[in-house]
Amino acid sequence: MAHWVLHVDLDQFLAAVEILRRPELRGRPVVVGGDGDPAKRGVVSTASYEARAFGVHSGLPLRTAARRCPNAVFLPVDREVYEAASARVMATLREFGTVEELGWDEAFLAVDGDGPEEVARRIRARVHAATALACTVGIGQNRLQAKLATGLGKPAGVFRLTDATWFAVLGDQPTDALWGIGPKTAKRLAAMGIDTVTRLAAADPRMLAAHFGPAIGPWLVRLASGQDSSSVTGAPHVPRSRGRETTYQHDLDDWDAVRREVASLARRLADDLAAERRPVSRVVVKVRYVPFTTRTHGHTPATPTREAAAIEQAALAALEQFPERRPVRLLGVRAEFR
């Protein structure tokens, strides 16, 4: 009996939940982000497909989104509503087998049988019946293939990607089409003459190990070959990090004020972590300079800690690694667990 991995991804999730609450918005460009005021600083969390047609996407500043799509409806983020909708979806998915949650809007499932498309269609129908939300289902022989198949099946479709079709579908794509390769890595690979998935799969792992490290180099070759040995686990989703961040409506150009804000964020984050009972192994500070350049630096405490004072000290140590003292529009502090 064949073993398959399915990746379920809810289409335009936050926007879709908001449209269910406000049916009159269906067919209109909807943007969810910040407190819903595009005149204020903030970024897009999700945009409906109608808004995406104007170049609006996640992570875009709200003010830029408003310029690109002036007729869009802007709505604030409502975490509790999205969490409740996500919980209903995940409960529905568990009717079909082992579920590994990746976040609010996506999950992997492990299924057996020779008809994964039929299972995928039943999942789509069941999720819609239970929640009125649409989803796309990617099918693969492993998690990597299923995850990438979902992007090829959107919106609201089903797509299968396997060993046999991997290079026909993805071979000519740039390396950052792969799950796990970002723009910086793709740029480094391109400088080495490796600009497609096929070329990366054919690269010498030893050569890549010399540039990216003994673990990452060979992994990049396996990734480009569509290989993934990780299994779907039904264990509860445990975040690998927790963070706090704030976008300031007025620039912080006094770095004494920046330090005070980072210390405050670190203390608030420590309060959030009190119930986690997991030691923090690294603290990362994010600084978004004016107008929109983002940098991060981290600091590793001498020993993993749950102490608020130690988390604050680590955040301030990370802040000291920023060489530029330009005006700041956003600060964030993230705790990573061991």
Side-chain angles (χ1 to χ4, degrees):
M1 183 176 293
H3 175 74
W4 299 97
V5 176
L6 274 55
H7 178 250
V8 180
D9 195 345
L10 294 162
D11 298 329
Q12 57 177 17
F13 175 55
L14 306 189
V17 172
E18 294 294 351
I19 291 168
L20 288 178
R21 301 168 77 186
R22 303 170 176 84
E24 69 276 9
L25 299 181
R26 190 171 303 280
R28 297 182 61 184
V30 174
V31 177
V32 180
D35 66 2
D37 185 351
K40 295 181 179 179
R41 287 178 172 173
V43 297
V44 175
S45 296
T46 298
S48 68
Y49 290 121
E50 292 81 4
R52 295 179 197 185
F54 290 85
V56 178
H57 55 78
S58 299
L60 189 73
L62 290 175
R63 290 174 179 173
T64 304
R67 288 196 297 270
R68 292 185 181 181
C69 190
N71 294 323
V73 177
F74 287 82
L75 299 172
V77 173
D78 193 338
R79 292 182 61 90
E80 290 185 2
V81 170
Y82 309 144
E83 288 171 353
S86 176
R88 291 195 298 272
V89 171
M90 298 304 166
T92 302
L93 295 181
R94 291 189 185 92
E95 299 172 8
F96 293 86
T98 300
V99 174
E100 178 182 343
E101 298 181 32
L102 296 185
W104 279 345
D105 60 348
E106 59 178 324
F108 286 115
L109 287 85
V111 300
D112 295 318
D114 296 323
E117 278 85 1
E118 175 57 29
V119 176
R121 285 190 287 268
R122 287 196 287 117
I123 286 173
R124 288 178 57 244
R126 183 72 187 92
V127 167
H128 189 269
T131 67
L133 294 169
C135 64
T136 298
V137 183
I139 302 167
Q141 292 172 268
N142 56 47
R143 294 164 83 252
L144 170 64
Q145 293 175 358
K147 171 75 172 180
L148 293 176
T150 307
L152 297 166
K154 281 190 169 289
V158 173
F159 194 94
R160 186 199 291 206
L161 183 63
T162 65
D163 293 342
T165 62
W166 177 263
F167 288 109
V169 174
L170 292 174
D172 293 333
Q173 294 296 308
T175 58
D176 58 3
L178 296 171
W179 183 34
I181 295 184
K184 291 182 179 179
T185 300
K187 185 176 180 179
R188 290 177 64 187
L189 289 168
M192 301 164 61
I194 302 172
D195 57 357
T196 66
V197 172
T198 295
R199 288 178 177 170
L200 180 56
D204 182 350
R206 292 171 297 181
M207 181 268 290
L208 290 178
H211 286 81
F212 293 93
I216 298 298
W219 171 76
L220 290 170
V221 176
R222 294 194 299 271
L223 187 71
S225 302
Q227 300 174 25
D228 181 3
S229 60
S230 60
S231 59
V232 176
T233 172
H237 176 64
V238 179
R240 297 177 62 181
S241 65
R242 289 279 300 272
R244 279 267 191 175
E245 65 178 45
T246 300
T247 297
Y248 300 96
Q249 297 306 314
H250 300 285
D251 300 339
L252 297 180
D253 51 14
D254 177 354
W255 270 68
D256 286 335
V258 170
R259 290 186 186 90
R260 289 194 296 271
E261 289 295 319
V262 166
S264 175
L265 284 169
R267 290 193 297 270
R268 289 160 59 195
L269 176 59
D271 290 341
D272 296 340
L273 300 177
E276 291 277 355
R277 303 198 63 79
R278 287 191 291 167
V280 174
S281 60
R282 182 173 170 82
V283 178
V284 178
V285 170
K286 176 167 71 172
V287 173
R288 181 165 294 153
Y289 295 105
V290 176
F292 207 76
T293 303
T294 305
R295 298 285 185 269
T296 61
H297 284 290
H299 179 78
T300 301
T303 58
T305 182
R306 292 196 293 265
E307 297 297 325
I311 293 171
E312 179 182 343
Q313 183 179 14
L316 291 173
L319 183 66
E320 289 304 310
Q321 298 178 49
F322 289 84
E324 298 180 276
R325 296 294 189 263
R326 296 190 283 121
V328 169
R329 58 176 289 156
L330 175 146
L331 292 170
V333 178
R334 183 177 77 248
E336 297 179 348
F337 305 115
R338 64 177 179 180

